[in-house]
Each structure stands twice: as C-alpha cells, then as structure tokens.
Amino acid sequence: MGSAIAQRIFEQTDCRLFASDPDKTKQDSCKIPSDKITFCEPEGVFESCSIVFLAIKPQIFPEISSKLVPFIKSHHVIISMLAGINITSLEAKLNTTSLIRIMPNTPVAVGVGVSGILFHESLSDVIKVEITNLIDLLGQSIVLTTEDQMHAITAISGSGPAFFYRIINAIASFGVSNGLSREHALNAALFTMLGAGEMLKKTLDPSQLIQKVASPKGTTEAGLNRMDALEFDQLLQEVLQAASQRSEALSRGEK
C-alpha cells in the first residue's frame, strides 16, 4: 500500500519522495525514477520530510515505534495506515499529537481508491485541508470523526475490494459452468459491475436502480427473490462485521 501511494503521489505532484524499507527487493521493483525517490534509513526520511506516511504491519508497531520517537520533531505530521491502531495508541507510542489515521484501499494505485481519514483533534484546519487535498490524489476521501467509523471504513473499503473480487469471481464461474469462456464470463461480470457503479454515482439510490432493472415476474425478480430466500443482505452484513471486528481486535493489541 505504501508503494502504491508513493507511485500515485509521484504521478500527480512534483514532490521528491523519501522511503525506508529493509526489503531490498521492494526497492529494486520500485517504478519511480531514482531521481524522484531516495531510499534511506528511517532517520533520513524524518530529516528530509515534514509529512511521513507510516505503512507497516500493525503487529510490529510496538517494536518499531520506540525506534522512531527520537526522529519525530514538532514540524512532522505522521499519517498512519496501521489497521486497528487508534490515535490514542499512536499518540502514546510516538509522543506526538500531529497524527492522522487513514485507511486506503488498493485501487489508490490507479487513482480510484477510497480512503477514510481521521484527524487528531489538535490539528489545525490548515493541516486538515492540506492532508485532505493530498489524499484526494488517491481517489475519494471520507473524513471521519470517530474510531468506530474507522473500523467500519476498514471493513467496507479497506477490505471491500477483495469482497467484490470474490463476487465477480463467483459470477464468472457461473458463466463458465453455463458454457461461456472464462474470458467472456469475467468481462461480462466486470463491465456489468463497472456500468452499475457509474449509474449509481449519478443517483446514489440503489433501491431505485434495482426497481428499474427488475420487472414483475422477470428474470431479475427471480434472482432477487432467491437472494431474499438466502438472506443475502444479512450474509454480506456478517462478512463486513467479521472484518470490522478484526479491526477492533487489532486495536486492542490482539495478534
């Protein structure tokens, strides 16, 4: 996720980037020109940058945080992408209030991501606007007000792409089992989803659009009735709840 965000910022701005990653294979695979990004130790990132993205696994945060504290100065703004690590915990471990949590998703790599943003209450409006404008380069940003909302965004948009891929894969598999080639079935499912999304962007009313597709006693109504019988909506709620609860568990320090 860190590399995807770096790539997008490189494409959309003139910023010079600094990054730290002990995995040299990731450095070697970086597509950003070497004159636009410098790989260095964490200390070098903080020495060269005022805005620092923290893109590490939440499980190793307790170990890493103590090593970062000496480098954090008053002018630094830390943007954390750590799932489940709340702002209170970040403040306690990093000894700063210049903190922002974001929960992006993988489509940020192509500029159509969704990122939830939660600001520390002490941050100025100027910084909030600056960071929101930066995150908007990645796609759609949603400014949140509570940690509970961040758990929900983690489930909906953070984990959501995988759930949509799963649905698309199931639809494509149906097509294959009914005589379509894998390519045709996958394209039919994919572009149906994209087209439906474009229409929904104009109305933001899923129920209205469902009614426009479903005619009485038609094929769509038959499918929708089966979804009702299988409690499809409730199933999706349970899927999202499982992801949200895992986010909450991470916030409690569970591994």
Side-chain angles (χ1 to χ4, degrees):
M1 187 62 71
S3 62
I5 289 177
Q7 181 70 34
R8 186 64 182 170
I9 291 175
F10 158 70
E11 293 171 353
Q12 297 295 311
T13 73
D14 293 327
C15 293
R16 180 164 180 79
L17 305 174
F18 292 79
S20 179
D21 194 322
D23 187 346
K24 194 173 184 304
T25 60
K26 292 182 180 179
Q27 298 182 28
D28 293 339
S29 63
C30 180
K31 297 179 181 179
I32 301 173
S34 58
D35 63 332
K36 292 294 184 179
I37 187 168
T38 299
F39 286 94
C40 54
E41 295 299 316
E43 182 176 4
V45 174
F46 284 90
E47 287 177 347
S48 304
C49 305
S50 59
I51 298 174
V52 179
F53 285 84
L54 192 58
I56 60 175
K57 295 183 182 299
Q59 291 87 346
I60 67 172
F61 176 64
E63 172 191 351
I64 297 297
S65 59
S66 61
K67 299 178 181 178
L68 299 181
V69 168
F71 309 140
I72 300 175
K73 308 302 179 185
S74 59
H75 67 281
H76 287 125
V77 175
I78 311 298
I79 302 178
S80 169
M81 291 184 279
L82 280 64
I85 307 297
N86 61 38
I87 282 185
T88 300
S89 297
L90 291 168
E91 180 180 349
K93 292 288 188 181
L94 298 176
N95 195 30
T96 181
T97 59
S98 295
L99 295 165
I100 299 158
R101 285 192 67 195
I102 67 169
M103 177 49 62
N105 60 9
T106 52
V108 302
V110 289
V112 289
V114 177
S115 301
I117 309 176
L118 182 64
F119 295 103
H120 191 284
E121 60 185 6
S122 69
L123 291 174
S124 69
D125 289 341
V126 172
I127 290 179
K128 290 178 180 179
V129 170
E130 179 184 3
I131 298 303
T132 301
N133 288 341
L134 178 63
I135 301 305
D136 280 343
L137 297 176
L138 311 177
Q140 178 77 29
S141 64
I142 301 174
V143 177
L144 309 174
T145 57
T146 69
E147 294 286 354
D148 286 343
Q149 291 175 346
M150 185 61 81
H151 295 312
I153 283 292
T154 298
I156 294 172
S157 56
S159 300
F163 304 149
F164 282 110
Y165 300 148
R166 184 75 174 264
I167 292 170
I168 290 294
N169 193 53
I171 293 174
S173 294
F174 164 82
V176 171
S177 66
N178 284 271
L180 295 177
S181 69
R182 176 70 181 176
E183 179 183 5
H184 286 167
L186 190 57
N187 279 333
L190 167 62
F191 287 100
T192 298
M193 180 185 72
L194 293 175
E198 286 297 317
M199 292 191 69
L200 187 56
K201 282 165 60 177
K202 296 180 179 180
T203 66
L204 292 179
D205 189 343
S207 297
Q208 177 186 342
L209 291 176
I210 290 171
Q211 291 175 3
K212 287 186 176 181
V213 179
S215 56
K217 297 184 179 180
T219 59
T220 305
E221 184 178 77
L224 291 171
N225 288 340
R226 185 59 178 161
M227 292 174 83
D228 291 339
L230 294 172
E231 298 184 341
F232 183 79
D233 293 4
Q234 180 61 33
L235 174 61
L236 284 182
Q237 292 281 328
E238 292 177 8
V239 168
L240 294 166
Q241 188 63 34
S244 179
Q245 288 174 345
R246 179 55 182 158
S247 177
E248 293 175 12
L250 289 171
S251 72
R252 295 191 298 268
E254 297 182 21
K255 296 182 179 181

